[in-house]
Amino acid sequence: MNLSLNFVALKTIVRKEVVRVLRIWVQTIFPPAITMTLYFIIFGNLIGRRIGDMGGYDYMQYIAPGLIMMSVITNSYGNVVSSFFGAKFGRHIEEMLVSPMSNATIILGHVAGGLIRGLLVGALVTVVALAFTRVEVRHPLITLSMVLLSSTVFALAGFINAIFAKKFDDISIIPTFVLTPLTYLGGVFYSISLLPEFWQRLSLANPILYMVNAFRYGVLGTSDISIATAYAIVLLFVVVLFAVSLALLNRGIGIRE
C-alpha cells in the first residue's frame, strides 16, 4: 500500500476517533474536569492551606501541572483501550486487518485519537486550574513536547492492554491496579525530596514521575529530576511500546486467536 493511501486510512481512523470522543463528550471530556475541580478544592484549597509552600511555590500552583498531566495520561490511555477493544468486540477490527492499510497505520490512528482526547481534556483542566491559581508557562517547548510524548506513551500502553483484553472487565484491571497507583505516587501532589532516601530511589522506577516533573519544569521551572533523563526515558518508552504494539498486531495476538 502506497504512502498516500496509508495517509487516507490514517485520516479516516483519526476522524472516527475524534467524532466518537466529541459525540459522547459528556462521558469523555466533561467528567475529568469535574474530578480535577474536586482535587483543586480539596487538595489545593483546603489541605494546601495547611501544607503551605512546596518547591518555592504555593501548593495549589505546585500541584496544578501534576493534575493537568494526570488528566492527560488517564484519558489518553482510557480512550485507546476502550476504542480498540470496542473494535475487537464489535468484530469490525477484522475489516481494518483485511484492508490494504498497514498495521502501523492502525496503531497510529488509534494513538492519535487518544492523543487528541488527552489534549482536549488537558486544555479543559488547564482552564479549571486558572480559576484556582496562576499557570504561567516558563518553557513552552518543553511543556508541549512532554505532554505530547506522555500522551503517546499511555495511548500505546492502552493499545497493548486492549490487544490482550478478552472481556470488558480486562480493560479496567491495568488502570485500577497499575496506572492509578503509579499516578498518585508519581509526584503529582508532592516533591520526592520530602521522602526518605529509600523511597526517593524507589520512586525513580516510576515513569510517571519523569513525565510529571518535566511538565512541571516546563510550567513552573522547577523539577526533582534531570530534564534530559526525563526525555530519554519517555522517548525510550515511546519506541519500545510502539515496537511491541506493532509486533503483537503483526502476529495477531488477541485478535486472530
Side-chain angles (χ1 to χ4, degrees):
M1 186 178 183
N2 62 42
L3 185 60
S4 62
L5 291 179
N6 262 306
F7 183 67
V8 172
L10 178 62
K11 287 198 301 182
T12 303
I13 296 175
V14 173
R15 182 178 180 276
K16 174 184 75 74
E17 291 297 303
V18 172
V19 169
R20 171 181 171 272
V21 169
L22 296 180
R23 187 179 66 246
I24 53 174
W25 63 271
V26 175
Q27 301 175 36
T28 57
I29 304 297
F30 194 62
I34 299 298
T35 302
M36 292 304 152
T37 300
L38 294 175
Y39 277 124
F40 278 114
I41 293 173
I42 297 172
F43 287 95
N45 194 18
L46 300 180
I47 298 178
R49 290 178 181 176
R50 298 178 178 273
I51 294 176
D53 292 345
M54 183 168 291
Y57 293 89
D58 175 78
Y59 187 68
M60 182 89 75
Q61 193 174 12
Y62 185 84
I63 68 172
L67 291 174
I68 294 170
M69 180 59 81
M70 184 168 72
S71 66
V72 170
I73 286 172
T74 55
N75 283 276
S76 298
Y77 186 99
N79 190 78
V80 177
V81 71
S82 61
S83 176
F84 191 74
F85 181 76
K88 283 176 53 179
F89 186 80
R91 311 298 295 181
H92 56 270
I93 184 62
E94 297 173 358
E95 298 174 4
M96 288 190 281
L97 293 174
V98 300
S99 72
M101 80 172 76
S102 67
N103 286 338
T105 300
I106 296 175
I107 297 172
L108 291 174
H110 285 85
V111 168
L115 185 65
I116 291 170
R117 177 177 168 183
L119 292 178
L120 288 174
V121 172
L124 184 57
V125 173
T126 301
V127 173
V128 171
L130 289 171
F132 293 93
T133 186
R134 291 179 301 144
V135 179
E136 299 175 357
V137 179
R138 298 287 185 87
H139 307 282
L141 184 59
I142 293 176
T143 301
L144 180 61
S145 60
M146 187 51 63
V147 77
L148 290 173
L149 288 171
S150 301
S151 180
T152 300
V153 166
F154 283 94
L156 287 167
F159 190 89
I160 294 173
N161 187 180
I163 286 178
F164 284 106
K166 297 184 182 300
K167 54 185 183 297
F168 279 102
D169 290 342
D170 293 339
I171 68 176
S172 64
I173 293 176
I174 299 298
T176 301
F177 295 103
V178 179
L179 184 57
T180 298
L182 287 179
T183 301
Y184 281 94
L185 297 174
V188 172
F189 298 102
Y190 58 87
S191 168
I192 63 168
S193 62
L194 300 175
L195 301 175
E197 186 177 352
F198 171 77
W199 292 105
Q200 287 188 38
R201 293 179 179 178
L202 188 62
S203 295
L204 295 178
N206 184 352
I208 295 180
L209 176 73
Y210 298 90
M211 300 173 188
V212 168
N213 272 275
F215 185 71
R216 181 176 285 131
Y217 178 82
V219 176
L220 299 179
T222 183
S223 173
D224 292 330
I225 47 88
S226 164
I227 303 304
T229 302
Y231 271 100
I233 289 176
V234 175
L235 286 169
L236 178 63
F237 268 94
V238 170
V239 173
V240 170
L241 291 177
F242 181 81
V244 171
S245 299
L246 188 58
L248 291 173
L249 206 55
N250 287 338
R251 294 177 60 183
I253 302 296
I255 297 172
R256 297 191 179 99
E257 296 176 348

